[in-house]
Amino acid sequence: MFGNLKIGMRLGIAFGLVVLLLAAVSTISLLRISEMASGTALIVDDRMPKIEMSNDISINTLTMARAVRNIILSNDKAFEKAQLEIIAKARKDNDALIDKIKPMLNSEKGKAMFEKMVATRARYGAAVDKVLSLADSSSPTHDEKKATEYLFGEYTAVANEYLAEVKTFSDFQSELSVVA
């Protein structure tokens, strides 16, 4: 079939095939780049902010725990007041982070993990209030010994459970980032 064609015609057909293959490769490449861009945008705009915010929640929670311990160890009213302000700021920051994360949740599993984290956070908040009432020397229920016992007992258990739930949520978001 091609034997009867002139060399110019053969070269023209070959060039046409090369152009056709180039167009196919270009189209496939553009589609793949588009998929990669949307996957990257999902990670950068959705998953990473949730991971960073949950890490900030953990840091704030650990800051609160340190301040609680400092209040128990201190007998200085001014220092205790400064520690109470640190706790109040960390709580306020965590409230804001929780409020930012909630509308960003897309999956049912993520929402369930978030709700479990929030429920554990409520128990942790109650534990903080209880230990502060025992630890703060200006509180009518101040009892350093009971505060220390509570700190090493129930408070630590609830705090560890809360931090574990935050980590579980953060790890889930990290897993979603790998899959995307």
Side-chain angles (χ1 to χ4, degrees), residues 42-76:
L42 178 66
I43 292 169
V44 170
D45 297 334
D46 183 64
R47 307 281 162 61
M48 286 309 296
K50 288 186 250 184
I51 294 167
E52 289 174 10
M53 286 186 277
S54 59
N55 287 338
D56 288 345
I57 289 170
S58 293
I59 290 168
N60 290 337
T61 302
L62 293 171
T63 300
M64 289 170 54
R66 184 174 50 246
V68 165
R69 181 211 55 214
N70 291 345
I71 291 171
I72 292 171
L73 294 174
S74 173
N75 291 322
D76 181 1

mmCIF file of all heavy atoms in Angstrom, residues 42-76:
data_model
loop_
_atom_site.group_PDB
_atom_site.id
_atom_site.type_symbol
_atom_site.label_atom_id
_atom_site.label_comp_id
_atom_site.label_asym_id
_atom_site.label_seq_id
_atom_site.Cartn_x
_atom_site.Cartn_y
_atom_site.Cartn_z
ATOM 1 N N LEU A 42 -6.245 20.019 47.299
ATOM 2 C CA LEU A 42 -6.982 19.379 48.387
ATOM 3 C C LEU A 42 -6.100 19.231 49.622
ATOM 4 O O LEU A 42 -6.522 19.538 50.738
ATOM 5 C CB LEU A 42 -7.504 18.006 47.932
ATOM 6 C CG LEU A 42 -8.248 17.191 48.980
ATOM 7 C CD1 LEU A 42 -9.559 17.874 49.357
ATOM 8 C CD2 LEU A 42 -8.508 15.788 48.465
ATOM 9 N N ILE A 43 -4.878 18.791 49.417
ATOM 10 C CA ILE A 43 -3.958 18.617 50.542
ATOM 11 C C ILE A 43 -3.614 19.958 51.171
ATOM 12 O O ILE A 43 -3.692 20.132 52.382
ATOM 13 C CB ILE A 43 -2.679 17.878 50.093
ATOM 14 C CG1 ILE A 43 -3.015 16.435 49.726
ATOM 15 C CG2 ILE A 43 -1.614 17.927 51.174
ATOM 16 C CD1 ILE A 43 -1.902 15.696 49.025
ATOM 17 N N VAL A 44 -3.246 20.923 50.341
ATOM 18 C CA VAL A 44 -2.783 22.223 50.846
ATOM 19 C C VAL A 44 -3.917 23.037 51.461
ATOM 20 O O VAL A 44 -3.732 23.677 52.496
ATOM 21 C CB VAL A 44 -2.093 23.009 49.710
ATOM 22 C CG1 VAL A 44 -1.813 24.438 50.110
ATOM 23 C CG2 VAL A 44 -0.809 22.309 49.291
ATOM 24 N N ASP A 45 -5.079 23.016 50.844
ATOM 25 C CA ASP A 45 -6.176 23.881 51.297
ATOM 26 C C ASP A 45 -7.121 23.227 52.301
ATOM 27 O O ASP A 45 -7.841 23.918 53.011
ATOM 28 C CB ASP A 45 -6.999 24.355 50.090
ATOM 29 C CG ASP A 45 -6.187 25.193 49.128
ATOM 30 O OD1 ASP A 45 -5.198 25.810 49.574
ATOM 31 O OD2 ASP A 45 -6.523 25.228 47.922
ATOM 32 N N ASP A 46 -7.131 21.894 52.365
ATOM 33 C CA ASP A 46 -8.087 21.217 53.234
ATOM 34 C C ASP A 46 -7.409 20.398 54.329
ATOM 35 O O ASP A 46 -7.655 20.615 55.506
ATOM 36 C CB ASP A 46 -9.001 20.310 52.392
ATOM 37 C CG ASP A 46 -10.053 19.631 53.228
ATOM 38 O OD1 ASP A 46 -10.902 20.336 53.802
ATOM 39 O OD2 ASP A 46 -10.033 18.383 53.321
ATOM 40 N N ARG A 47 -6.573 19.456 53.938
ATOM 41 C CA ARG A 47 -6.017 18.509 54.907
ATOM 42 C C ARG A 47 -4.947 19.124 55.805
ATOM 43 O O ARG A 47 -4.973 18.960 57.020
ATOM 44 C CB ARG A 47 -5.447 17.283 54.182
ATOM 45 C CG ARG A 47 -6.441 16.623 53.221
ATOM 46 C CD ARG A 47 -7.439 15.755 53.952
ATOM 47 N NE ARG A 47 -8.655 15.406 53.246
ATOM 48 C CZ ARG A 47 -8.778 14.727 52.122
ATOM 49 N NH1 ARG A 47 -7.735 14.303 51.477
ATOM 50 N NH2 ARG A 47 -9.967 14.459 51.619
ATOM 51 N N MET A 48 -3.984 19.814 55.219
ATOM 52 C CA MET A 48 -2.886 20.375 56.027
ATOM 53 C C MET A 48 -3.372 21.397 57.058
ATOM 54 O O MET A 48 -2.909 21.374 58.196
ATOM 55 C CB MET A 48 -1.802 20.983 55.131
ATOM 56 C CG MET A 48 -0.948 19.945 54.417
ATOM 57 S SD MET A 48 -0.240 18.661 55.482
ATOM 58 C CE MET A 48 0.830 19.623 56.519
ATOM 59 N N PRO A 49 -4.299 22.290 56.713
ATOM 60 C CA PRO A 49 -4.788 23.209 57.755
ATOM 61 C C PRO A 49 -5.408 22.474 58.947
ATOM 62 O O PRO A 49 -5.201 22.870 60.092
ATOM 63 C CB PRO A 49 -5.821 24.067 57.029
ATOM 64 C CG PRO A 49 -5.386 24.058 55.603
ATOM 65 C CD PRO A 49 -4.819 22.674 55.393
ATOM 66 N N LYS A 50 -6.142 21.389 58.677
ATOM 67 C CA LYS A 50 -6.740 20.619 59.777
ATOM 68 C C LYS A 50 -5.661 19.944 60.619
ATOM 69 O O LYS A 50 -5.770 19.898 61.841
ATOM 70 C CB LYS A 50 -7.731 19.585 59.230
ATOM 71 C CG LYS A 50 -9.010 20.203 58.694
ATOM 72 C CD LYS A 50 -9.995 19.140 58.306
ATOM 73 C CE LYS A 50 -10.130 19.104 56.821
ATOM 74 N NZ LYS A 50 -11.120 18.165 56.326
ATOM 75 N N ILE A 51 -4.627 19.453 59.965
ATOM 76 C CA ILE A 51 -3.519 18.829 60.698
ATOM 77 C C ILE A 51 -2.819 19.876 61.561
ATOM 78 O O ILE A 51 -2.552 19.645 62.749
ATOM 79 C CB ILE A 51 -2.524 18.165 59.719
ATOM 80 C CG1 ILE A 51 -3.179 16.982 59.010
ATOM 81 C CG2 ILE A 51 -1.255 17.727 60.451
ATOM 82 C CD1 ILE A 51 -2.396 16.454 57.825
ATOM 83 N N GLU A 52 -2.533 21.029 60.984
ATOM 84 C CA GLU A 52 -1.858 22.098 61.733
ATOM 85 C C GLU A 52 -2.710 22.584 62.902
ATOM 86 O O GLU A 52 -2.197 22.808 64.006
ATOM 87 C CB GLU A 52 -1.518 23.259 60.805
ATOM 88 C CG GLU A 52 -0.405 22.930 59.822
ATOM 89 C CD GLU A 52 -0.173 24.024 58.805
ATOM 90 O OE1 GLU A 52 -0.736 25.139 58.949
ATOM 91 O OE2 GLU A 52 0.583 23.774 57.848
ATOM 92 N N MET A 53 -4.008 22.746 62.669
ATOM 93 C CA MET A 53 -4.873 23.212 63.748
ATOM 94 C C MET A 53 -4.981 22.180 64.870
ATOM 95 O O MET A 53 -4.986 22.542 66.047
ATOM 96 C CB MET A 53 -6.263 23.583 63.204
ATOM 97 C CG MET A 53 -6.254 24.887 62.422
ATOM 98 S SD MET A 53 -7.890 25.431 61.921
ATOM 99 C CE MET A 53 -8.130 24.480 60.433
ATOM 100 N N SER A 54 -5.053 20.895 64.513
ATOM 101 C CA SER A 54 -5.121 19.878 65.568
ATOM 102 C C SER A 54 -3.796 19.807 66.333
ATOM 103 O O SER A 54 -3.795 19.588 67.550
ATOM 104 C CB SER A 54 -5.520 18.515 65.007
ATOM 105 O OG SER A 54 -4.621 18.070 64.027
ATOM 106 N N ASN A 55 -2.689 20.042 65.658
ATOM 107 C CA ASN A 55 -1.409 20.113 66.365
ATOM 108 C C ASN A 55 -1.375 21.315 67.308
ATOM 109 O O ASN A 55 -0.850 21.225 68.420
ATOM 110 C CB ASN A 55 -0.242 20.167 65.383
ATOM 111 C CG ASN A 55 0.012 18.844 64.698
ATOM 112 O OD1 ASN A 55 -0.364 17.792 65.191
ATOM 113 N ND2 ASN A 55 0.645 18.897 63.544
ATOM 114 N N ASP A 56 -1.938 22.437 66.876
ATOM 115 C CA ASP A 56 -2.018 23.619 67.742
ATOM 116 C C ASP A 56 -2.890 23.338 68.969
ATOM 117 O O ASP A 56 -2.584 23.802 70.072
ATOM 118 C CB ASP A 56 -2.563 24.825 66.981
ATOM 119 C CG ASP A 56 -1.566 25.382 65.975
ATOM 120 O OD1 ASP A 56 -0.365 25.039 66.052
ATOM 121 O OD2 ASP A 56 -1.992 26.172 65.102
ATOM 122 N N ILE A 57 -3.963 22.573 68.785
ATOM 123 C CA ILE A 57 -4.817 22.200 69.914
ATOM 124 C C ILE A 57 -4.001 21.390 70.923
ATOM 125 O O ILE A 57 -4.084 21.620 72.136
ATOM 126 C CB ILE A 57 -6.060 21.411 69.438
ATOM 127 C CG1 ILE A 57 -7.024 22.347 68.703
ATOM 128 C CG2 ILE A 57 -6.765 20.720 70.605
ATOM 129 C CD1 ILE A 57 -8.161 21.634 67.989
ATOM 130 N N SER A 58 -3.199 20.452 70.430
ATOM 131 C CA SER A 58 -2.350 19.656 71.322
ATOM 132 C C SER A 58 -1.360 20.537 72.078
ATOM 133 O O SER A 58 -1.183 20.383 73.295
ATOM 134 C CB SER A 58 -1.568 18.604 70.530
ATOM 135 O OG SER A 58 -2.433 17.640 70.008
ATOM 136 N N ILE A 59 -0.728 21.451 71.377
ATOM 137 C CA ILE A 59 0.246 22.346 72.017
ATOM 138 C C ILE A 59 -0.440 23.199 73.085
ATOM 139 O O ILE A 59 0.083 23.345 74.198
ATOM 140 C CB ILE A 59 0.948 23.224 70.960
ATOM 141 C CG1 ILE A 59 1.873 22.356 70.103
ATOM 142 C CG2 ILE A 59 1.722 24.373 71.620
ATOM 143 C CD1 ILE A 59 2.401 23.041 68.861
ATOM 144 N N ASN A 60 -1.615 23.735 72.764
ATOM 145 C CA ASN A 60 -2.348 24.547 73.743
ATOM 146 C C ASN A 60 -2.740 23.712 74.962
ATOM 147 O O ASN A 60 -2.689 24.197 76.101
ATOM 148 C CB ASN A 60 -3.585 25.167 73.112
ATOM 149 C CG ASN A 60 -3.255 26.252 72.113
ATOM 150 O OD1 ASN A 60 -2.187 26.844 72.153
ATOM 151 N ND2 ASN A 60 -4.172 26.503 71.205
ATOM 152 N N THR A 61 -3.125 22.480 74.732
ATOM 153 C CA THR A 61 -3.517 21.597 75.832
ATOM 154 C C THR A 61 -2.314 21.296 76.735
ATOM 155 O O THR A 61 -2.434 21.310 77.966
ATOM 156 C CB THR A 61 -4.128 20.299 75.281
ATOM 157 O OG1 THR A 61 -5.251 20.645 74.453
ATOM 158 C CG2 THR A 61 -4.590 19.379 76.391
ATOM 159 N N LEU A 62 -1.182 21.048 76.135
ATOM 160 C CA LEU A 62 0.027 20.811 76.925
ATOM 161 C C LEU A 62 0.460 22.075 77.673
ATOM 162 O O LEU A 62 0.941 21.995 78.809
ATOM 163 C CB LEU A 62 1.151 20.294 76.021
ATOM 164 C CG LEU A 62 0.910 18.902 75.433
ATOM 165 C CD1 LEU A 62 1.962 18.576 74.373
ATOM 166 C CD2 LEU A 62 0.884 17.845 76.512
ATOM 167 N N THR A 63 0.260 23.231 77.059
ATOM 168 C CA THR A 63 0.552 24.504 77.731
ATOM 169 C C THR A 63 -0.349 24.670 78.949
ATOM 170 O O THR A 63 0.107 25.103 80.016
ATOM 171 C CB THR A 63 0.357 25.679 76.751
ATOM 172 O OG1 THR A 63 1.256 25.511 75.649
ATOM 173 C CG2 THR A 63 0.609 27.018 77.420
ATOM 174 N N MET A 64 -1.616 24.317 78.798
ATOM 175 C CA MET A 64 -2.544 24.394 79.927
ATOM 176 C C MET A 64 -2.116 23.452 81.047
ATOM 177 O O MET A 64 -2.142 23.829 82.232
ATOM 178 C CB MET A 64 -3.966 24.037 79.467
ATOM 179 C CG MET A 64 -4.609 25.092 78.588
ATOM 180 S SD MET A 64 -6.160 24.550 77.828
ATOM 181 C CE MET A 64 -7.106 24.032 79.214
ATOM 182 N N ALA A 65 -1.706 22.250 80.686
ATOM 183 C CA ALA A 65 -1.287 21.274 81.701
ATOM 184 C C ALA A 65 -0.077 21.787 82.476
ATOM 185 O O ALA A 65 -0.003 21.646 83.699
ATOM 186 C CB ALA A 65 -0.976 19.933 81.040
ATOM 187 N N ARG A 66 0.853 22.399 81.758
ATOM 188 C CA ARG A 66 2.035 22.945 82.424
ATOM 189 C C ARG A 66 1.639 24.084 83.366
ATOM 190 O O ARG A 66 2.135 24.181 84.492
ATOM 191 C CB ARG A 66 3.053 23.423 81.386
ATOM 192 C CG ARG A 66 4.351 23.909 81.986
ATOM 193 C CD ARG A 66 5.417 24.248 80.942
ATOM 194 N NE ARG A 66 4.933 25.109 79.891
ATOM 195 C CZ ARG A 66 4.817 24.759 78.599
ATOM 196 N NH1 ARG A 66 5.149 23.554 78.210
ATOM 197 N NH2 ARG A 66 4.374 25.611 77.709
ATOM 198 N N ALA A 67 0.722 24.932 82.925
ATOM 199 C CA ALA A 67 0.275 26.043 83.769
ATOM 200 C C ALA A 67 -0.459 25.533 85.008
ATOM 201 O O ALA A 67 -0.290 26.083 86.100
ATOM 202 C CB ALA A 67 -0.616 26.985 82.959
ATOM 203 N N VAL A 68 -1.260 24.490 84.854
ATOM 204 C CA VAL A 68 -1.952 23.888 86.002
ATOM 205 C C VAL A 68 -0.926 23.382 87.006
ATOM 206 O O VAL A 68 -1.026 23.643 88.214
ATOM 207 C CB VAL A 68 -2.892 22.741 85.542
ATOM 208 C CG1 VAL A 68 -3.322 21.882 86.717
ATOM 209 C CG2 VAL A 68 -4.106 23.299 84.815
ATOM 210 N N ARG A 69 0.060 22.669 86.513
ATOM 211 C CA ARG A 69 1.114 22.166 87.396
ATOM 212 C C ARG A 69 1.827 23.318 88.111
ATOM 213 O O ARG A 69 2.098 23.257 89.303
ATOM 214 C CB ARG A 69 2.127 21.356 86.586
ATOM 215 C CG ARG A 69 3.243 20.774 87.441
ATOM 216 C CD ARG A 69 4.566 20.638 86.739
ATOM 217 N NE ARG A 69 5.009 21.882 86.177
ATOM 218 C CZ ARG A 69 5.697 21.992 85.049
ATOM 219 N NH1 ARG A 69 5.995 20.935 84.348
ATOM 220 N NH2 ARG A 69 6.090 23.158 84.604
ATOM 221 N N ASN A 70 2.107 24.391 87.362
ATOM 222 C CA ASN A 70 2.794 25.545 87.944
ATOM 223 C C ASN A 70 1.969 26.188 89.061
ATOM 224 O O ASN A 70 2.520 26.623 90.067
ATOM 225 C CB ASN A 70 3.115 26.586 86.876
ATOM 226 C CG ASN A 70 4.180 26.113 85.915
ATOM 227 O OD1 ASN A 70 4.886 25.141 86.171
ATOM 228 N ND2 ASN A 70 4.292 26.805 84.793
ATOM 229 N N ILE A 71 0.663 26.239 88.883
ATOM 230 C CA ILE A 71 -0.204 26.811 89.916
ATOM 231 C C ILE A 71 -0.135 25.967 91.187
ATOM 232 O O ILE A 71 -0.064 26.491 92.293
ATOM 233 C CB ILE A 71 -1.660 26.942 89.411
ATOM 234 C CG1 ILE A 71 -1.740 28.027 88.338
ATOM 235 C CG2 ILE A 71 -2.616 27.253 90.556
ATOM 236 C CD1 ILE A 71 -3.080 28.100 87.619
ATOM 237 N N ILE A 72 -0.146 24.653 91.022
ATOM 238 C CA ILE A 72 -0.071 23.765 92.186
ATOM 239 C C ILE A 72 1.249 23.963 92.927
ATOM 240 O O ILE A 72 1.288 23.993 94.157
ATOM 241 C CB ILE A 72 -0.249 22.290 91.771
ATOM 242 C CG1 ILE A 72 -1.683 22.055 91.284
ATOM 243 C CG2 ILE A 72 0.075 21.346 92.926
ATOM 244 C CD1 ILE A 72 -1.917 20.694 90.661
ATOM 245 N N LEU A 73 2.319 24.138 92.181
ATOM 246 C CA LEU A 73 3.643 24.253 92.792
ATOM 247 C C LEU A 73 3.920 25.633 93.393
ATOM 248 O O LEU A 73 4.795 25.765 94.246
ATOM 249 C CB LEU A 73 4.733 23.945 91.756
ATOM 250 C CG LEU A 73 4.766 22.513 91.238
ATOM 251 C CD1 LEU A 73 5.787 22.371 90.128
ATOM 252 C CD2 LEU A 73 5.064 21.541 92.367
ATOM 253 N N SER A 74 3.173 26.630 92.968
ATOM 254 C CA SER A 74 3.476 28.003 93.386
ATOM 255 C C SER A 74 2.578 28.453 94.542
ATOM 256 O O SER A 74 1.436 28.016 94.671
ATOM 257 C CB SER A 74 3.269 28.947 92.204
ATOM 258 O OG SER A 74 3.406 30.278 92.613
ATOM 259 N N ASN A 75 3.119 29.352 95.328
ATOM 260 C CA ASN A 75 2.331 30.018 96.361
ATOM 261 C C ASN A 75 2.288 31.523 96.113
ATOM 262 O O ASN A 75 1.816 32.270 96.950
ATOM 263 C CB ASN A 75 2.919 29.740 97.753
ATOM 264 C CG ASN A 75 2.737 28.292 98.150
ATOM 265 O OD1 ASN A 75 1.703 27.699 97.854
ATOM 266 N ND2 ASN A 75 3.723 27.720 98.790
ATOM 267 N N ASP A 76 2.773 31.955 94.961
ATOM 268 C CA ASP A 76 2.825 33.366 94.597
ATOM 269 C C ASP A 76 1.554 33.740 93.835
ATOM 270 O O ASP A 76 1.288 33.228 92.744
ATOM 271 C CB ASP A 76 4.065 33.604 93.725
ATOM 272 C CG ASP A 76 4.235 35.044 93.301
ATOM 273 O OD1 ASP A 76 3.423 35.898 93.676
ATOM 274 O OD2 ASP A 76 5.223 35.308 92.564
#
